[in-house]
Amino acid sequence: MSTQTDTPVRSPARIDFGHAVIRVRARRASVRFAARSVVTVAVLAAMAAVLALVALTLGDYPLTLTEVVLALTGQDAGMANLVVVEWRAPRALAAVVFGAALGVSGAIFQSLTRNPLASPDIIGFATGSFTGALVVIVIIGGSYVQVAGGALVGGILTAAAVYALSYKRGVQGFRFIIVGIAVSAMLASLNTWLMLRAELEVAMSAAVWNAGSLNGITWAQAGAGSVAVVVLMLLAVAQSPGLRQIELGDDAAKALGVSIEPVRLGLVITGVALTAAVTAAAGPISFIALAAPQIARRIARTPGVTLAPAAAMGALLLLAADVLAQHALPSSLPVGVVTVVIGGSYLVWLLVHEARRQL
């Protein structure tokens, strides 16, 4: 007679050894990167590069990938070179660079507020940039540089107003978002009034620009915008250590010796400037800044949003949206229309997800 009992056999406990990291050492400095984040950025960048090459083949004058490569490398000086280099490449470059800028801008604000709903287009900074540009267009009728300056000033003034109105012994994330939404609603009303007061042709061109479009992007606009975005991204990278410490909470950051408000203000200015640079060239493009950091965070499985994966995801999202806007329907659409359709669905899912998590 057997005396053995059927006791369940427990599997050994799974030990979490943490995420794999890649360490880069240079003389006296050492920098560590999460391996999964590096792989995520590399894969997203490769996908964006392939999609950009495919985008260069599409259009009324279809080309093969071989013809595109020959045109880009200067081995074809004929019609393919004109179509690829002069007409299509500036638009593809602008989509990649501006998408990356919006992704980084969204990552900055979502990290500062520790809230996935915080993005420049939700809390009014993109609307403020549009107000500044609209004032220049309607009242001055300015050039591209003047419009860009107006967008930058409008965005910074809006950020200053939201920051001041939400400040009460420091800036709390939820209050910052609510004040931003209220300011955005007021600025949207002001924008409508300005367009109603403008002459018909000016109002129509401003309305088209308000939709957010990469149509007619030239090398001058793409080049100037790219230089501005690269400089601002380097500034964001330099500020990222302070951003990581503020993510821990104000008390923890103060304990680590961080001057909270100066660091936060500098990050807000950098994030607004990134949004304004895009708005000045292409108009307000919604939802890329909202969606890119959160999608990248889920793919990279990082505890918070990080700049590099958000930039790579933003570039891929805006480029894909622009390809759809150009070729999915018989007539092309402004890319802002496509991002609103896709991003609106994402926003609904995000709101439902956040509501269920808080129950």
Side-chain angles (χ1 to χ4, degrees):
M1 181 176 177
S2 174
T3 58
Q4 183 178 2
T5 58
D6 297 331
T7 55
V9 179
R10 294 183 178 179
S11 59
R14 185 176 180 179
I15 301 174
D16 185 4
F17 292 98
H19 299 288
V21 298
I22 298 174
R23 178 176 296 176
V24 178
R25 291 181 176 176
R27 294 188 178 181
R28 300 180 180 179
S30 176
V31 182
R32 295 191 306 169
F33 301 95
R36 191 176 177 92
S37 295
V38 173
V39 173
T40 300
V41 172
V43 171
L44 292 175
M47 291 174 65
V50 171
L51 184 57
L53 287 175
V54 173
L56 295 178
T57 67
L58 302 175
D60 294 335
Y61 188 84
L63 297 167
T64 64
L65 281 175
T66 303
E67 291 173 320
V68 168
V69 173
L70 291 176
L72 290 175
T73 55
Q75 301 178 52
D76 186 339
M79 188 63 184
N81 180 275
L82 176 65
V83 171
V84 172
V85 177
E86 298 298 329
W87 296 350
R88 297 178 184 171
R91 181 167 186 156
L93 174 66
V96 170
V97 174
F98 294 165
L102 293 173
V104 171
S105 181
I108 288 174
F109 287 110
Q110 290 177 9
S111 294
L112 281 177
T113 59
R114 298 188 292 279
N115 192 313
L117 290 174
S119 78
D121 46 333
I122 297 292
I123 54 182
F125 301 154
T127 309
S129 295
F130 177 56
T131 303
L134 193 59
V135 168
V136 174
I137 292 173
V138 173
I139 297 178
I140 303 176
S143 63
Y144 168 74
V145 175
Q146 291 171 321
V147 173
L152 179 60
V153 172
I156 290 177
L157 289 178
T158 304
V162 173
Y163 192 90
L165 292 172
S166 59
Y167 188 88
K168 184 179 181 181
R169 295 191 295 273
V171 175
Q172 195 266 339
F174 183 72
R175 187 167 59 237
F176 190 74
I177 295 172
I178 294 300
V179 171
I181 291 173
V183 171
S184 177
M186 290 188 288
L187 289 174
S189 301
L190 175 61
N191 293 343
T192 303
W193 180 78
L194 285 172
M195 293 178 69
L196 291 174
R197 298 280 298 177
E199 295 181 0
L200 180 60
E201 292 183 358
V202 175
M204 289 178 65
S205 63
V208 172
W209 188 70
N210 184 32
S213 175
L214 296 175
N215 293 336
I217 288 283
T218 64
W219 275 117
Q221 294 169 312
S226 299
V227 170
V229 167
V230 169
V231 171
L232 291 168
M233 281 189 176
L234 291 175
L235 188 59
V237 170
Q239 294 172 305
S240 61
L243 181 63
R244 297 281 78 85
Q245 290 170 329
I246 289 179
E247 271 187 337
L248 301 174
D250 288 2
D251 293 337
K254 286 178 182 176
L256 293 172
V258 177
S259 300
I260 299 294
E261 294 309 324
V263 172
R264 180 178 282 141
L265 185 59
L267 287 163
V268 168
I269 291 174
T270 302
V272 170
L274 283 166
T275 303
V278 177
T279 305
I285 298 175
S286 303
F287 290 112
I288 297 295
L290 175 71
Q294 293 300 318
I295 296 174
R297 182 180 70 83
R298 284 168 170 77
I299 294 175
R301 295 181 185 174
T302 53
V305 294
T306 48
L307 299 185
M313 179 55 73
L316 180 61
L317 283 180
L318 187 56
L319 182 60
D322 190 47
V323 172
L324 289 175
Q326 289 184 77
H327 307 294
L329 295 175
S331 59
S332 64
L333 296 171
V335 67
V337 174
V338 177
T339 60
V340 166
V341 172
I342 298 174
S345 304
Y346 170 78
L347 180 60
V348 171
W349 173 85
L350 184 61
L351 290 171
V352 172
H353 176 75
E354 289 296 311
R356 287 178 177 174
R357 197 183 66 169
Q358 294 177 8
L359 289 177

